[in-house]
C-alpha cells in the first residue's frame, strides 16, 4: 500500500465533524489496514478508503463493509463478556496507558500543526522595489 496514493484528513470531511475527527478516523483506518489480525472485508474497506478508491461515505453505505464492522464489534463484545475480573482490570490499565499515549501524540501533532512556521521563504518584491506606475 505504500506505493499507492494515500488520502489526506481533508478527504474524510464528508463524514467527519471537524479536522481532528478526520485525523483520528484516518489513523483508525490505517490501523485497520495494516493490522494482519483484522483481515477480511474490514481490512479491505480500510485499504479502499485510504487509497481513495472509495469514499468513507460510500464505505459506510456498503452493506458488506458495515456487516463486517458489525461482526467485529460483536466479537469484541463477546470477548469482553467472557473476560475474568483480573483480565478486565488488566485491559482497563492497558487501555488507559494506550489512551494516554494517543493523547500525547495528538497534543504533539496539534502543537506542530498550530505552531507558527519559522521557515518562511519570501521571494523578491514585484517590480524590483520601484514605486507604482
Amino acid at each position: 500500500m505504500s506505493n499507492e496514493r494515500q488520502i489526506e484528513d481533508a478527504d474524510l470531511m464528508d463524514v467527519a465533524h471537524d479536522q481532528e475527527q478526520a485525523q483520528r478516523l484516518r489513523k483508525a483506518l490505517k490501523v485497520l489496514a495494516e493490522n494482519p489480525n483484522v483481515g477480511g472485508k474490514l481490512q479491505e474497506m480500510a485499504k479502499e478508503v485510504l487509497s481513495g478508491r472509495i469514499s468513507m461515505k460510500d464505505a459506510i453505505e456498503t452493506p458488506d463493509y458495515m456487516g463486517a464492522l458489525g461482526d467485529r464489534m460483536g466479537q469484541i463484545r463477546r470477548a469482553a463478556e467472557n473476560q475474568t475480573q483480573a483480565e478486565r482490570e488488566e485491559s482497563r490499565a492497558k487501555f488507559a496507558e494506550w489512551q494516554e499515549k494517543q493523547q500525547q501524540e495528538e497534543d504533539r501533532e496539534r502543537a506542530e500543526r498550530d505552531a507558527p512556521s519559522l521557515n518562511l521563504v519570501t521571494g523578491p518584491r514585484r517590480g524590483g522595489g520601484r514605486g507604482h506606475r
Side-chain angles (χ1 to χ4, degrees), residues 4 7 14 23 54 57 71 75 81 83 89 98 105 108 114 118 123 129 131:
E4 294 183 21
I7 63 167
D14 60 337
Q23 182 181 20
I54 185 173
K57 186 174 183 179
D71 291 346
Q75 291 171 358
E81 289 171 351
Q83 282 183 326
E89 289 172 11
W98 174 85
E105 184 178 329
R108 181 188 54 77
D114 296 345
L118 300 176

Side-chain angles (χ1 to χ4, degrees), residues 45-107:
M45 183 260 321
K47 289 178 179 181
E48 291 293 301
V49 172
L50 286 171
S51 70
R53 289 188 292 268
I54 185 173
S55 72
M56 189 68 218
K57 186 174 183 179
D58 288 341
I60 291 169
E61 295 172 354
T62 301
D64 283 351
Y65 291 153
M66 288 302 96
L69 182 59
D71 291 346
R72 182 55 60 122
M73 296 301 291
Q75 291 171 358
I76 292 168
R77 189 191 83 245
R78 284 187 297 280
E81 289 171 351
N82 292 328
Q83 282 183 326
T84 65
Q85 185 62 32
E87 290 170 329
R88 282 190 188 108
E89 289 172 11
E90 182 180 351
S91 290
R92 282 189 196 110
K94 285 181 180 178
F95 178 71
E97 182 180 323
W98 174 85
Q99 199 171 24
E100 178 63 28
K101 286 179 184 176
Q102 291 298 113
Q103 186 62 52
Q104 289 172 358
E105 184 178 329
E106 286 179 19
D107 291 346

Side-chain angles (χ1 to χ4, degrees), residues 8-28:
E8 301 292 326
D9 297 345
D11 296 314
L12 297 169
M13 290 304 294
D14 60 337
V15 295
H17 296 302
D18 56 41
Q19 187 64 31
E20 288 192 29
Q21 188 178 45
Q23 182 181 20
R24 287 190 304 269
L25 177 56
R26 189 179 53 77
K27 283 182 173 184

